Amino acid sequence: MLLHDSSYRLKICKKSIKSILEEPSAIQLELILKDINETSEHQLKHNEKYIQNWISYQTHFPKHVDPLFIRTTLRFSKHNLEKTKQKLENHLAARHLYPEIYKNRSPVSQEILQAMNTVNISFMPKLTSKGNRVIVSSLNQYDPSEFNTYNCAKLFFMTIDLCFSCDYICAGDILIFDTTNFSVNHITRFFGPVFKIISALPKQAYAVRVKQMHFVNAPSAFVKMIGLIKKLSHPKVREAIYVHESPEQLLEAVGAQYLPSNYGGELRSLREITLNGYNFLIENANWFEEQENVQISCIPKNVQSIFTLGNEFGVEGSFRKLNID
């Protein structure tokens, strides 16, 4: 395997993620390393080598597995080697099982450009004091007929995959969903057939570390639905879900220095930050092209069963099974 081929690694990030995300300070880095159970550079290198050697014996794996994707998965798995192996295999299996999400992912395709125009999916440039990354999602176009769930889901996982494949460290993610002008028609489209897929993937195919989930500007029907879900969720999940009636409440909960100006924050507007992030995807179009056929060749039965999407991945089940750190 050519995991250390420098010519391959140089293609991973045509433009560095540091153009959109600030590096952690020394204090933040210390907190992050403690949170992800990383004790030393030697430990990181040793565990990376172990995982790379394990991959070399997996005949059903692709020739190239992005070394930085391995690193991020290892870190977000808190250096649990068995969990890292499971997440990597599940992720490569997901790429095989869901071509509607993982194929034809050119950032300049008509479908993705349409999604970029419809929604904001944005990583805030500053980490919180604890080293967490803040991700804000909202509608940019309010017409439900413009909201194509598959295109938006593809855009979301493109963003996640590229960030997983860059040398950037954080403790976890704080997710913010702005549901301004989110109508019943939007809800119907969002909770359609694709919802089962996008509910399963973060849990099964990525070592995501969700610290908090915030909903802001939610319509009354949405507030009631989230309230019901919280009652049915595990206490740890329940305590990490926040519903805010106004931007002022979100500002108080998260902090002005980590939020866009739309919410009274100190950063640029959400759309400006979002477009900067979308330009980052477009500038790395070659990377997505190279990743087109990076998938598992055959899916073991135990992995296949994980992605048998039944009722457990409904709205309630998705929150009950959500991992909150």
Side-chain angles (χ1 to χ4, degrees):
M1 295 188 65
L2 301 177
L3 290 172
H4 298 291
D5 182 357
S6 60
S7 64
Y8 174 67
R9 291 199 57 164
L10 286 173
K11 295 177 183 177
I12 290 173
C13 285
K14 184 178 180 182
K15 183 178 181 183
S16 172
I17 197 171
K18 294 172 186 177
S19 65
I20 62 171
L21 296 175
E22 295 182 7
E23 293 188 83
S25 67
I27 295 175
Q28 288 172 321
L29 182 58
E30 183 179 353
L31 292 172
I32 291 168
L33 293 176
K34 183 178 180 180
D35 198 345
I36 65 174
N37 196 33
E38 188 167 310
T39 58
S40 66
E41 182 74 11
H42 173 75
Q43 177 211 25
L44 174 63
K45 296 296 185 183
H46 176 272
N47 288 346
E48 283 182 319
K49 184 176 181 180
Y50 173 88
I51 294 297
Q52 289 165 353
N53 286 338
W54 172 78
I55 287 173
S56 69
Y57 289 100
Q58 308 309 306
T59 57
H60 57 307
F61 272 37
K63 183 177 180 181
H64 290 301
V65 180
D66 192 326
L68 291 178
F69 195 95
I70 294 173
R71 171 173 290 190
T72 302
T73 302
L74 180 64
R75 283 174 157 169
F76 272 17
S77 299
K78 300 181 71 172
H79 286 268
N80 182 316
L81 297 176
E82 292 306 311
K83 182 178 179 180
T84 301
K85 290 190 287 187
Q86 181 186 48
K87 292 297 182 181
L88 289 171
E89 187 169 46
N90 288 356
H91 177 76
L92 295 170
R95 285 171 172 257
H96 180 101
L97 288 167
Y98 304 117
E100 62 270 43
I101 300 295
Y102 292 103
K103 291 291 185 181
N104 304 314
R105 299 201 297 175
S106 169
V108 294
S109 68
Q110 182 178 353
E111 293 79 8
I112 296 304
L113 290 175
Q114 190 270 345
M116 288 180 177
N117 189 51
T118 303
V119 296
N120 296 306
I121 302 171
S122 185
F123 290 79
M124 298 299 101
K126 294 179 179 290
L127 294 178
T128 68
S129 58
K130 294 183 178 180
N132 294 317
R133 186 169 50 190
V134 177
I135 305 174
V136 182
S137 299
S138 74
L139 293 174
N140 185 53
Q141 297 288 339
Y142 300 140
D143 183 353
S145 66
E146 296 292 324
F147 187 71
N148 185 301
T149 316
Y150 279 98
N151 292 347
C152 292
K154 182 179 286 192
L155 173 61
F156 173 77
F157 287 108
M158 285 173 65
T159 304
I160 295 298
D161 284 358
L162 185 56
C163 287
F164 257 68
S165 298
C166 292
D167 195 7
Y168 185 82
I169 188 171
C170 65
D173 293 316
I174 295 174
L175 308 180
I176 299 173
F177 301 95
D178 184 348
T179 54
T180 300
N181 291 313
F182 211 74
S183 67
V184 173
N185 287 335
H186 284 105
I187 294 174
T188 302
R189 286 171 176 263
F190 182 74
F191 291 113
V194 71
F195 183 74
K196 290 185 177 181
I197 299 175
I198 62 178
S199 298
L201 289 178
K203 161 71 177 174
Q204 304 295 351
Y206 296 87
V208 293
R209 301 192 70 208
V210 179
K211 299 291 187 174
Q212 298 174 2
M213 296 179 66
H214 297 263
F215 296 88
V216 64
N217 298 324
S220 57
F222 203 89
V223 171
K224 291 178 181 178
M225 184 178 70
I226 295 297
L228 177 60
I229 290 171
K230 287 182 68 173
K231 289 181 180 179
L232 298 171
S233 299
H234 186 280
K236 190 176 181 181
V237 175
R238 188 184 311 142
E239 293 170 3
I241 299 175
Y242 303 86
V243 180
H244 308 288
E245 297 179 359
S246 67
E248 290 76 20
Q249 292 178 347
L250 178 67
L251 193 68
E252 183 178 351
V254 178
Q257 63 269 47
Y258 312 119
L259 290 173
S261 58
N262 311 56
Y263 309 101
E266 299 173 3
L267 303 177
R268 292 176 297 164
S269 73
L270 177 59
R271 191 59 185 169
E272 286 181 282
I273 298 172
T274 298
L275 290 176
N276 195 29
Y278 289 167
N279 285 334
F280 174 60
L281 264 65
I282 292 170
E283 289 161 355
N284 284 283
N286 289 342
W287 181 84
F288 288 105
E289 183 179 350
E290 291 166 358
Q291 293 292 302
E292 187 72 13
N293 295 312
V294 177
Q295 62 185 38
I296 215 165
S297 61
C298 61
I299 303 175
K301 289 183 178 179
N302 64 313
V303 177
Q304 179 78 53
S305 64
I306 289 173
F307 288 102
T308 302
L309 303 179
N311 293 331
E312 62 179 347
F313 290 117
V315 177
E316 174 194 337
S318 301
F319 279 84
R320 289 181 65 86
K321 292 176 177 291
L322 182 68
N323 279 335
I324 298 287
D325 280 291

